[in-house]
Amino acid sequence: YQLFEATIKTVFSNENNKSYKLNDELVVNIKQQLRDGVPIASLMKQFGVSGGALRCIRNGTTWKHVN
């Protein structure tokens, strides 16, 4: 099971893809700021990503593996 879990994290992690603007650490930060009530417009400017991407993070559509 541990090997399977590690493989899934590797396959679905965006951490090693250089074309992504975000990584796990940034997404943790984004999720915390969203919980704290920081407006999506502010996060868009701060991280250089779209409002849609931030809403997907907030709703758990993307970056599910990051708490």
Side-chain angles (χ1 to χ4, degrees):
Y1 178 78
Q2 288 176 339
L3 177 61
F4 175 75
E5 186 176 284
T7 303
I8 292 297
K9 280 187 177 182
T10 301
V11 170
F12 290 105
S13 175
N14 298 326
E15 194 75 23
N16 297 321
N17 189 329
K18 302 300 180 204
S19 68
Y20 285 96
K21 294 182 180 182
L22 300 175
N23 58 38
D24 290 358
E25 184 178 336
L26 291 174
V27 172
V28 167
N29 186 308
I30 289 169
K31 286 185 173 192
Q32 183 59 54
Q33 289 190 55
L34 287 168
R35 282 191 292 270
D36 292 343
V38 175
I40 285 182
S42 296
L43 296 174
M44 287 171 59
K45 292 176 187 172
Q46 183 178 349
F47 293 99
V49 296
S50 70
L54 292 167
R55 282 187 287 279
C56 285
I57 291 170
R58 181 191 61 200
N59 297 337
T61 307
T62 58
W63 296 91
K64 294 176 192 178
H65 67 283
V66 177
N67 293 324

